[in-house]
Amino acid sequence: MSATTKTRAEVVAQIFTVFRDRGFEGATLSELSQSTGLGKSSLYHYFPNGKEDMVFAIFTLLGQWMKDNVLEPLHGVGTPKQKLRAMLHAFDELYDGGRNACVLGALVSGGGRMRFQTELKASFEAWIIALRDLAIEAGVPRREAQQRAEDAVVRFEGALILSGGLGDSGPFKRASRQIERDLLAV
Amino acid sequence: MSATTKTRAEVVAQIFTVFRDRGFEGATLSELSQSTGLGKSSLYHYFPNGKEDMVFAIFTLLGQWMKDNVLEPLHGVGTPKQKLRAMLHAFDELYDGGRNACVLGALVSGGGRMRFQTELKASFEAWIIALRDLAIEAGVPRREAQQRAEDAVVRFEGALILSGGLGDSGPFKRASRQIERDLLAV
DNA sequence: GTCTATAACGGGATAGAC
DNA sequence: GTCTATCCCGTTATAGAC
């Protein structure tokens, strides 16, 4: 790739932020065009079916991010506690310490809930499974691990909503600490 | 009020569900017109500034609902535990056991985050204060009570997102039980 | 108060040149 | 691949009759 040519990955990374901040209906082609620096027609070159295709691309990007930042480290070296810390650090960067919303939450809350039901379910489940397996590795019984993983996702999502609503990153930071404390506790 | 005349409260209750399910950008005048049975022009009679006015009316409705279902019972008779159960029952009905989204979450996640920042903050804070005061009444130290109240809101919001994403009311039901267990625990 | 009609605008999407 | 130009439609909003 050269300096003047955008890769698809770069384009997807840019539209990702728009859908995250505006939701599906709120993300207009004008803003998507502006944020990517591409004309509307060029966007249709990348995404023939428009916004719907863009969101599918975002789900793919999320899957890749999860693989790189959660699943791979999970199978790497270190204690479960170390791996959890690394994961939490990655989430902290993704959400910018609570200043960014969660694109999954934005799509659930907006009109995309029915449109992307299958993908949303798969994304949440993959997330939960990753956290669950880490808890299992730390010696937590499977059933309990599943519950704790769901709790962690609930806390992330809820804390991002509350941090957004209050304009205060405190709830997110505290949720992150609670997850670190609770997920693997014996 | 007669059978043929809608009160403003009835109209607001109907548009409430549209914004809750569709978000601010996703709620169109066509759907609002359909759900209320009023023509678009009639909606402008009730809400001269359009959708923005409708959302302000929703915040007012929420404030009243909170007063009736949370604040009043709080100052009524019964043990804190009994009052908490009554509050949780009211929330369970509002969210239809996890099948409904939270309108505050929908407004935070959509484009309304900046537009209604003041009202969102006030709504979340009122909610937290109500839960906090109940915990204080039950003998929880003030600081700890504040944290638990924020946790409860985080759990509600996150559980509604996850229940929506998974299409399964399980997370909401479990969050409700956890709040009942944790908020007042000594 | 509610309606019909319509204005004014912006949205998503396409065609075709380069 | 990206652009300009354009289309069609839905959306917000207003005017005025009843």
Side-chain angles (χ1 to χ4, degrees), chain A residues 3-184:
Chain A
T4 55
T5 304
K6 280 191 209 322
T7 65
R8 181 179 170 92
E10 288 174 314
V11 173
V12 175
Q14 283 156 333
I15 63 172
F16 165 84
T17 66
V18 179
F19 282 97
R20 180 195 66 197
D21 296 338
R22 300 285 196 192
F24 184 75
E25 313 283 353
T28 66
L29 284 187
S30 301
E31 190 168 359
L32 291 160
S33 172
Q34 204 173 359
S35 84
T36 55
L38 275 75
K40 295 181 187 179
S41 295
S42 300
L43 285 173
Y44 278 90
H45 168 71
Y46 287 89
F47 312 100
N49 285 316
K51 295 209 291 177
E52 202 154 312
D53 269 4
M54 297 182 201
V55 172
F56 286 136
I58 286 173
F59 279 115
T60 302
L61 175 73
L62 277 183
Q64 188 61 48
W65 186 92
M66 193 71 96
K67 198 179 166 193
D68 295 342
N69 292 279
V70 179
L71 299 182
E72 287 294 337
L74 200 74
H75 300 121
V77 295
T79 65
K81 194 165 180 61
Q82 285 171 330
K83 293 179 193 173
L84 177 58
R85 286 181 64 89
M87 275 174 44
L88 289 171
H89 183 70
F91 280 118
D92 191 72
E93 287 199 334
L94 179 65
Y95 297 125
D96 191 18
R99 273 174 293 276
N100 291 340
C102 176
V103 73
L104 295 179
L107 290 170
V108 170
S109 296
R113 187 166 172 171
M114 344 243 325
R115 205 189 291 239
F116 305 109
Q117 208 172 36
T118 306
E119 291 76 18
L120 284 168
K121 189 164 188 281
S123 292
F124 278 118
E125 283 174 348
W127 192 1
I128 291 167
I129 287 172
L131 294 168
R132 182 199 66 187
D133 288 351
L134 187 60
I136 290 175
E137 187 191 337
V140 179
R142 187 187 185 82
R143 220 185 123 66
E144 170 72 13
Q146 173 75 21
Q147 305 275 291
R148 289 193 196 177
E150 286 182 22
D151 279 0
V153 171
V154 162
R155 281 200 147 124
F156 268 127
E157 292 297 323
L160 288 169
I161 295 282
L162 187 58
S163 278
L166 293 177
D168 166 20
S169 59
F172 175 78
K173 292 191 204 304
R174 192 147 52 82
S176 189
R177 286 199 302 273
Q178 288 171 326
I179 291 166
E180 185 177 353
R181 182 194 64 198
D182 294 343
L183 184 67
L184 313 178

Side-chain angles (χ1 to χ4, degrees), chain B residues 18-29:
Chain B
V18 179
F19 282 96
R20 180 195 66 197
D21 296 338
R22 300 284 194 193
F24 184 76
E25 313 284 352
T28 64
L29 284 187

